[in-house]
Amino acid sequence: MAGSLFIIGMIILTQTVVGILGNFSLLCSYIILHVTGYRLRSTDLILKHLIVANSLVLLCKGVPQTMAVFGWKHIRSDFGCKLLFFLHRVGRGVSIGSICLLSVFQVITISPRSSRWAVLKVTAPKYMVLSLFLCWILQVLVNVIFPFHITGKWSDKNITKEIDFGYCSSGLTDKTQHALHAALLLFPDVLCLGLTLWAGSSMVLILYRHKQQVQHIRRTDASSRSSPESRATKTILLLGSTFVYFYILSSIFQVLLALFDQPSRFLVDITIIIAACFPTVSPFLLMSQNSSVQRLYLAWIRNAKSLLL
């Protein structure tokens, strides 16, 4: 058992360190590009919020969970547990909302002029900041009741049924209250997931129709080069499909947790590992697809080589 806990702890620690470094370096890249006057796309603002939300998820869940698994230190106050869980839930919700906004805005951007969405091409970017602000506010309001079910490991509260998270625990309420609470938390997630799936399928359809039109053009060499909009759409499709995959997988394990009154620590840890996969992987997906960030890294490498020489 000690060996399996050590392996789980190393996985969570690796996820946390790699994910935080990846998100931090990508955020620094965007800041440097903005300061140097590089013209970023309108969707890059959403990506910045996604990076911040993913970092919040990893910091508020991965760090204390790693400490709990290795037995380094425990959070002894109820307030600390409630705050970490609240920030984790808000970051997770904003991450889901950012993917949804990113997909919807990209569909509007690449929609043909004959489409009914064409009228939104000019107005949609104007509401991007407001949409992100409302996304944060909505997640704060929805998850404000979540800390009431979280207690510290050394709490004096007498809880007969609880889920042990290693450094904190969650008290289980009656079935009716638990079902209402779950429905309230799941409604924004399901809505965003549905919009993301719709936007992803719409982007695939638009790209397919564009490819069919391009095939009728004789100059295949010139037309075969993908446009910036097409590359950005494929990046968002890759990001969205990766998110949907890990979200569905994480939801399955969340349901398994809910089915047991006192689930094992192994099941809790595996659920945490799966939930942290997307925040860890997403910055590297973006760095591999973003040409502006790639050029910035190449410039750093050239400068480093020149300094060494």
Side-chain angles (χ1 to χ4, degrees):
M1 186 66 180
S4 61
L5 283 177
F6 177 78
I7 294 174
I8 289 175
M10 289 302 299
I11 293 174
I12 297 176
L13 177 61
T14 303
Q15 272 188 320
T16 304
V17 173
V18 172
I20 290 175
L21 290 176
N23 284 282
F24 180 75
S25 61
L26 185 58
L27 183 61
C28 290
S29 301
Y30 277 116
I31 294 174
I32 293 173
L33 289 172
H34 177 74
V35 171
T36 54
Y38 188 87
R39 185 178 180 181
L40 298 174
R41 295 187 300 269
S42 56
T43 53
D44 286 330
L45 178 62
I46 303 178
L47 290 176
K48 292 176 186 177
H49 283 261
L50 175 64
I51 295 168
V52 173
N54 287 339
S55 301
L56 200 61
V57 170
L58 292 170
L59 285 171
C60 296
K61 198 71 170 181
V63 173
Q65 189 66 28
T66 303
M67 295 167 65
V69 171
F70 286 113
W72 292 338
K73 189 177 180 181
H74 291 286
I75 301 172
R76 297 180 179 271
S77 66
D78 276 349
F79 177 77
C81 290
K82 293 178 187 294
L83 180 63
L84 284 176
F85 265 80
F86 175 71
L87 293 177
H88 167 260
R89 291 290 309 183
V90 171
R92 177 182 176 275
V94 173
S95 178
I96 297 172
S98 298
I99 292 292
C100 178
L101 288 174
L102 193 66
S103 302
V104 172
F105 273 106
Q106 190 62 23
V107 168
I108 295 174
T109 301
I110 67 172
S111 59
R113 296 181 180 179
S114 58
S115 173
R116 57 183 176 179
W117 302 105
V119 294
L120 298 176
K121 285 188 176 185
V122 179
T123 58
K126 298 179 181 179
Y127 295 99
M128 188 175 294
V129 176
L130 178 62
S131 300
L132 290 168
F133 176 76
L134 291 177
C135 182
W136 282 95
I137 295 298
L138 175 64
Q139 292 302 323
V140 168
L141 295 177
V142 168
N143 291 286
V144 72
I145 61 175
F146 195 85
F148 291 100
H149 303 280
I150 300 298
T151 56
K153 298 285 289 184
W154 287 266
S155 176
D156 296 330
K157 295 181 180 179
N158 185 15
I159 301 174
T160 57
K161 297 180 180 181
E162 64 178 13
I163 299 177
D164 186 5
F165 291 103
Y167 59 98
C168 294
S169 59
S170 173
L172 300 177
T173 58
D174 61 277
K175 292 184 178 180
T176 303
Q177 185 178 357
H178 184 68
L180 291 175
H181 185 207
L184 178 62
L185 292 176
L186 283 175
F187 177 74
D189 292 357
V190 173
L191 179 62
C192 289
L193 183 63
L195 288 174
T196 302
L197 291 172
W198 165 81
S201 59
S202 299
M203 282 187 281
V204 171
L205 182 60
I206 292 173
L207 288 177
Y208 175 76
R209 289 176 177 175
H210 176 71
K211 183 179 179 181
Q212 293 295 107
Q213 292 175 356
V214 166
Q215 288 179 350
H216 295 286
I217 301 176
R218 292 183 178 179
R219 297 181 61 185
T220 55
D221 293 338
S223 61
S224 61
R225 297 178 182 177
S226 57
S227 62
E229 292 80 8
S230 178
R231 290 195 299 269
T233 303
K234 291 177 182 178
T235 301
I236 294 173
L237 278 174
L238 177 62
L239 193 67
S241 59
T242 305
F243 160 76
V244 170
Y245 171 77
F246 283 119
Y247 179 86
I248 293 176
L249 191 62
S250 176
S251 298
I252 293 173
F253 279 85
Q254 290 287 349
V255 171
L256 291 177
L257 279 179
L259 293 177
F260 297 98
D261 290 339
Q262 291 182 338
S264 64
R265 275 291 304 277
F266 179 77
L267 181 59
V268 173
D269 291 335
I270 292 298
T271 305
I272 293 171
I273 289 173
I274 294 174
C277 284
F278 177 75
T280 303
V281 172
S282 60
F284 299 99
L285 291 177
L286 290 171
M287 282 187 280
S288 65
Q289 300 293 323
N290 196 323
S291 58
S292 59
V293 174
Q294 290 174 358
R295 286 195 294 269
L296 179 61
Y297 284 134
L298 289 175
W300 284 348
I301 293 174
R302 286 195 298 267
N303 291 335
K305 288 182 178 180
S306 62
L307 290 174
L308 291 175
L309 295 175

